[in-house]
Amino acid sequence: MLKKSTKDQILGNHLFWFLLLLLVNFAAYGAFLRFAPIYDFYNFFFPYRYSIVDAISHGSLPFWNPYQTMGIPAHADPQSGVFYLPVWIFALIFGKYTTVCCAAEFLFHTFVGACGCYLLIHYFTKDKLSAFTFSCAYVLSGFFVGNAQHLVWIISAAWLPWVIYSFILLFEEPGIVPMLLLPITFSLMLTGGYPGFIFILFYLLLLLFIFFVIRIIHNKQQDFKRLISFLLGAVFLSFLLSAPALISFWEIQPHITRGATLSFEVTTQPVTIQSLISFFFPYIACSSPDFVNTDISTGSVFIGMFSIPMIFIGLKENKNQLLWILFAFGLVSLLLAFGQAIPTNRILFEYLPFLGLIRLPALCRIYFILSVLIIASVGFKSFKEQLPTYRLPVAIVFAVLCIIFIIIALVSAHDNSSFDMEHPLNGPFTEKLMIEACISAIIAGALAFSLFFTNGKILLGILLAIFVTEGVSQANICGPKTIYDTKVDLNRLAEVTSIDGFPIPDSIKSDEKIIRLRNWDFLWTNVGMFAKEVEYYSYNPVKLYGNKRMLKKYLDAEKPLYLPLSFFPNTVIYDTTAHFLNADTAYTTNPEGSKCFTDGIAKTEVISFRPGFVAARTETSIERPWVLCQNVYSGWEARVDGKKVKLDTLNFTMQTVMVPAGKHTLELRYHRPFYAWIFVLQCVLTLLSVGAIFWVLWKNHISPENIP
């Protein structure tokens, strides 16, 4: 039977605070709805979402992406989101993925993250105001603002507090709800997020598991058998809900250029000492990469000025061993986020499993941000309860900070001989520093003034208003740099995504050629999915070895590749090294495969081309190989006139079929019924689990006498 404290955690009187979180969310990020996404968002994640939703809306499974690098198994790309259920919901609701959908998905996940953080903090503090205050700080933090362009990072950060909360709840109060909630949230984090966060999460959950086991052994009070049964149930269900993605990732590992352990020297874009200025001046970290010495997306650790003294109060007042564990893990995560700047990180990256797969160590900072905000919430609760004790010291801290910021503003103003009133935030570094110092001085001054001259509930309300205003303001100031692009013409972007259905490409092209031919100069890469054209090379972290091997000669020579979508080569030669290609010649790695094909008739016409399916009509005088510019991968099947035939490989990676003389119809299909069925299982089990959670909570909510 569900304990009352568990019910209160989820079904308690939190609706008002959730609605406030939604309002804060819109105040901070609502402008995104009016603009295009920025950087990697619209050059990588937007095209991916667009292609998946487009395939679903046209009745095709989005398992194969035919346009990127001559076709890749999209379901095996950890960042594609093929098995992420919210993507399918977007497809069913909107039918087409637009810039508004980008913003809506971002807002959805920031709200999800806020609610999860609220529940996690409330579990420790049992205080709604503290939970609301620092869940706001979480989704307004430098991580969400800075890394907004990396949608999968945002998804990971959104579900992270939910996973930690449900894991703790499973040990503290074993029952149906946490047993189901943990697999649901973990699978959503895994199928929609970035793998690096799962690697760090693994160590956190392992640490928490050890802590709880030691405590159980020491106390000898908990029903260990009951706990184990719920824990095993959660583990088993977690695997089932994540199975499509996990099996896909495992399958593709031998075929991709990524996935191997990285050298510590190639880790990049870490948090830096200079970027710690973002604690008070987040816009500097989001707009001055030369100063912070890292990418504008990865340096910010902003958590709101009011959080800083609350952290120290929380550390002083905290009596919860579990919180000390979380805080220690957060500090270690911050050290990891510095990457190569901390020499001892080499030991962890090289000897701890999975850490060597993390190319961008700055992602670790979210674990630091979350842990210190939980500690800060404990400090805020103590601050409220012991207001006479803490009010004056905290007021002095903010008064001193105000003076420091004023001095910084004055010094920076002295260096600005000409201030650009029209574009003040796009000026030189000293101009940005002056503006940020002025904003921080106002915030610190307002906090100090409130603490000196107000008291009681009025004081708490003012402090909360100032704190949230700071976060919302900084999110809107940083937004045009890291969240949305105010310069992109939405009408032009709408034209780019206006191609309906699946027209048949005539040849394969590079993304640069597609951009040039269509005058899409405002886009960077991955435009094949918009143009419905096959790119032989474009930015994609999942590249098949065969494709990379075939293109090596072209990439080394910086020479473009010209090939029709399908062709009959006149000559097949044996070679194990790459060649410059043309439609008359192909090469094979089979020593016995060399042959010349000379005849008067060799016609091919592709008559259907959609994700996972290609059909063509052919006419030849003799039996000869037909080549399709799509990568060979497990699951592709070929049929000639309805009869299954052998699918082979030419040019290291291209699909080829021996076609008999005469007129024939060819069909090639990416047939993965196993993944389709286990994905259906994932969907059904997720829906049943969500329904079971609500049923248990509702049953206990309307029958309080049944709660022990």
Side-chain angles (χ1 to χ4, degrees):
M1 193 58 79
L2 187 69
K3 293 185 179 180
K4 184 174 181 179
S5 56
T6 306
K7 179 196 69 123
D8 287 344
Q9 277 289 309
I10 305 174
L11 276 184
N13 186 23
H14 303 309
L15 181 60
F16 169 76
W17 299 101
F18 287 159
L19 290 176
L20 279 184
L21 286 173
L22 186 62
L23 290 175
V24 171
N25 202 35
F26 271 97
Y29 303 120
F32 194 177
L33 293 166
R34 297 186 289 112
F35 299 111
I38 203 167
Y39 304 139
D40 284 358
F41 207 143
Y42 77 78
N43 281 289
F44 183 76
F45 298 108
F46 181 21
Y48 258 54
R49 286 291 196 267
Y50 172 82
S51 65
I52 292 171
V53 171
D54 188 58
I56 295 171
S57 64
H58 284 88
S60 297
L61 288 174
F63 289 174
W64 184 263
N65 177 351
Y67 305 117
Q68 295 300 107
T69 58
M70 285 195 345
I72 57 172
H75 64 93
D77 184 348
Q79 299 187 72
S80 69
V82 167
F83 296 120
Y84 186 53
L85 297 186
V87 174
W88 289 74
I89 295 173
F90 270 95
L92 295 174
I93 293 175
F94 296 103
K96 183 177 181 180
Y97 200 79
T98 64
T99 56
V100 174
C101 292
C102 288
E105 185 170 2
F106 178 79
L107 286 164
F108 167 75
H109 286 104
T110 52
F111 179 61
V112 165
C115 293
C117 188
Y118 175 95
L119 291 174
L120 179 61
I121 291 175
H122 187 269
Y123 183 85
F124 287 109
T125 63
K126 304 298 185 292
D127 182 74
K128 295 182 177 68
L129 184 61
S130 298
F132 169 77
T133 302
F134 293 95
S135 57
C136 286
Y138 181 66
V139 293
L140 299 176
S141 68
F143 183 92
F144 279 86
V145 174
N147 285 109
Q149 61 168 302
H150 303 124
L151 180 59
V152 290
W153 287 38
I154 299 301
I155 292 173
S156 293
W159 294 111
L160 175 63
W162 285 93
V163 174
I164 297 173
Y165 166 69
S166 53
F167 188 84
I168 292 173
L169 205 61
L170 183 61
F171 280 89
E172 296 278 18
E173 302 173 15
I176 295 294
V177 171
M179 185 192 74
L180 298 177
L181 186 62
L182 177 59
I184 292 171
T185 54
F186 174 80
S187 66
L188 288 169
M189 183 175 175
L190 184 141
T191 57
Y194 187 71
F197 294 87
I198 297 293
F199 302 150
I200 304 299
L201 178 65
F202 167 79
Y203 287 103
L204 174 58
L205 297 186
L206 178 62
L207 185 63
L208 294 179
F209 176 79
I210 294 171
F211 168 79
F212 282 120
V213 169
I214 293 175
R215 195 178 70 176
I216 290 170
I217 294 173
H218 181 263
N219 294 338
K220 298 180 180 179
Q221 294 178 346
Q222 195 164 359
D223 187 344
F224 193 68
K225 291 183 179 179
R226 184 171 184 268
L227 170 63
I228 290 297
S229 64
F230 283 118
L231 182 61
L232 291 176
V235 171
F236 180 67
L237 187 57
S238 294
F239 174 76
L240 290 180
L241 297 185
S242 308
L246 289 174
I247 298 173
S248 295
F249 303 161
W250 180 266
E251 179 190 79
I252 202 174
Q253 285 303 304
H255 307 288
I256 58 173
T257 57
R258 280 197 185 184
T261 300
L262 302 171
S263 167
F264 182 62
E265 282 74 20
V266 304
T267 57
T268 184
Q269 299 176 8
V271 172
T272 62
I273 295 297
Q274 300 95 309
S275 67
L276 295 182
I277 193 175
S278 60
F279 273 118
F280 300 106
F281 307 146
Y283 185 73
I284 299 296
C286 292
S287 64
S288 301
D290 292 338
F291 173 77
V292 296
N293 200 29
T294 190
D295 190 82
I296 60 173
S297 66
T298 57
S300 182
V301 288
F302 174 75
I303 53 176
M305 196 183 307
F306 186 67
S307 300
I308 308 300
M310 295 301 109
I311 293 172
F312 290 99
I313 296 175
L315 292 173
K316 178 178 179 294
E317 298 290 342
N318 179 45
K319 302 296 190 297
N320 190 325
Q321 292 179 328
L322 181 57
L323 281 181
W324 284 113
I325 296 290
L326 290 174
F327 179 70
F329 189 87
L331 290 181
V332 173
S333 298
L334 180 62
L335 294 178
L336 286 175
F338 279 93
Q340 297 181 46
I342 309 290
T344 54
N345 281 347
R346 176 185 292 273
I347 299 173
L348 298 177
F349 275 90
E350 292 186 352
Y351 292 101
L352 280 182
F354 307 126
L355 293 191
L357 298 172
I358 298 176
R359 185 173 62 92
L360 302 167
L363 66 83
C364 300
R365 76 190 193 277
I366 190 61
Y367 290 88
F368 166 75
I369 289 172
L370 181 58
S371 66
V372 297
L373 288 177
I374 297 173
I375 289 292
S377 68
V378 174
F380 182 59
K381 182 181 179 183
S382 298
F383 171 81
K384 290 195 307 172
E385 294 171 348
Q386 305 175 51
L387 193 58
T389 302
Y390 286 115
R391 189 178 67 165
L392 183 59
V394 173
I396 293 173
V397 167
F398 285 124
V400 172
L401 285 174
C402 180
I403 294 171
I404 293 173
F405 295 144
I406 290 173
I407 293 173
I408 293 174
L410 291 174
V411 172
S412 302
H414 180 72
D415 292 336
N416 288 309
S417 56
S418 59
F419 184 76
D420 187 353
M421 290 296 296
E422 188 175 354
H423 304 289
L425 293 174
N426 292 326
F429 171 77
T430 53
E431 191 171 301
K432 297 175 185 176
L433 184 61
M434 179 189 70
I435 295 171
E436 281 282 73
C438 289
I439 294 172
S440 294
I442 293 171
I443 296 295
L447 289 169
F449 182 86
S450 302
L451 286 162
F452 276 124
F453 298 106
T454 58
N455 206 341
K457 292 183 178 180
I458 296 177
L459 171 61
L460 295 177
I462 293 174
L463 294 177
L464 176 60
I466 296 171
F467 183 53
V468 172
T469 298
E470 179 193 18
V472 169
S473 299
Q474 291 290 0
N476 280 280
I477 291 172
C478 298
K481 294 293 183 182
T482 60
I483 303 176
Y484 42 83
D485 194 334
T486 59
K487 301 180 183 65
V488 169
D489 187 339
L490 290 179
N491 292 326
R492 291 191 68 193
L493 195 56
E495 291 175 4
V496 170
T497 59
S498 63
I499 299 175
D500 189 40
F502 300 105
I504 300 169
D506 58 354
S507 61
I508 61 174
K509 303 177 177 69
S510 67
D511 52 1
E512 292 90 349
K513 185 176 182 181
I514 295 174
I515 290 172
R516 186 170 62 255
L517 290 175
R518 294 176 178 264
N519 194 28
W520 291 350
D521 52 286
F522 59 97
L523 293 173
W524 296 351
T525 55
N526 294 336
V527 295
M529 288 177 277
F530 293 144
K532 307 290 178 70
E533 295 280 353
V534 179
E535 296 175 335
Y536 64 84
Y537 178 82
S538 57
Y539 175 74
N540 193 312
V542 173
K543 290 184 173 68
L544 300 179
Y545 275 120
N547 182 269
K548 181 181 179 182
R549 189 179 178 191
M550 183 195 74
L551 293 176
K552 185 177 188 307
K553 198 170 184 69
Y554 289 93
L555 299 180
D556 291 345
E558 297 184 351
K559 181 178 178 179
L561 171 62
Y562 297 101
L563 280 177
L565 183 61
S566 66
F567 58 94
F568 281 108
N570 292 326
T571 305
V572 175
I573 61 174
Y574 164 71
D575 209 330
T576 57
T577 59
H579 284 259
F580 289 120
L581 295 170
N582 57 66
D584 294 325
T585 307
Y587 52 92
T588 176
T589 55
N590 179 7
E592 300 177 356
S594 297
K595 193 172 181 180
C596 290
F597 304 89
T598 57
D599 69 330
I601 300 177
K603 299 179 181 178
T604 174
E605 178 190 9
V606 176
I607 57 176
S608 180
F609 188 87
R610 60 180 188 267
F613 179 81
V614 180
R617 283 193 290 259
T618 64
E619 182 180 0
T620 64
S621 300
I622 60 173
E623 183 183 55
R624 61 189 302 166
W626 174 83
V627 179
L628 176 69
C629 293
Q630 287 283 283
N631 287 312
V632 170
Y633 188 77
S634 175
W636 274 99
E637 298 177 351
R639 295 180 183 273
V640 176
D641 299 329
K643 296 181 180 179
K644 191 171 181 179
V645 296
K646 181 182 179 182
L647 184 66
D648 217 327
T649 306
L650 287 177
N651 302 332
F652 294 146
T653 191
M654 292 182 179
Q655 299 180 23
T656 183
V657 175
M658 289 300 295
V659 180
K663 296 181 179 181
H664 300 282
T665 299
L666 279 62
E667 291 185 353
L668 287 85
R669 187 184 304 275
Y670 188 60
H671 188 56
R672 306 311 299 268
F674 171 73
Y675 286 110
W677 283 111
I678 60 174
F679 180 57
V680 170
L681 178 64
Q682 173 191 336
C683 296
V684 171
L685 288 178
T686 301
L687 291 174
L688 290 176
S689 298
V690 171
I693 288 175
F694 278 102
W695 182 80
V696 172
L697 293 175
W698 179 252
K699 178 181 177 182
N700 284 274
H701 182 64
I702 63 175
S703 304
E705 68 277 2
N706 294 329
I707 304 173

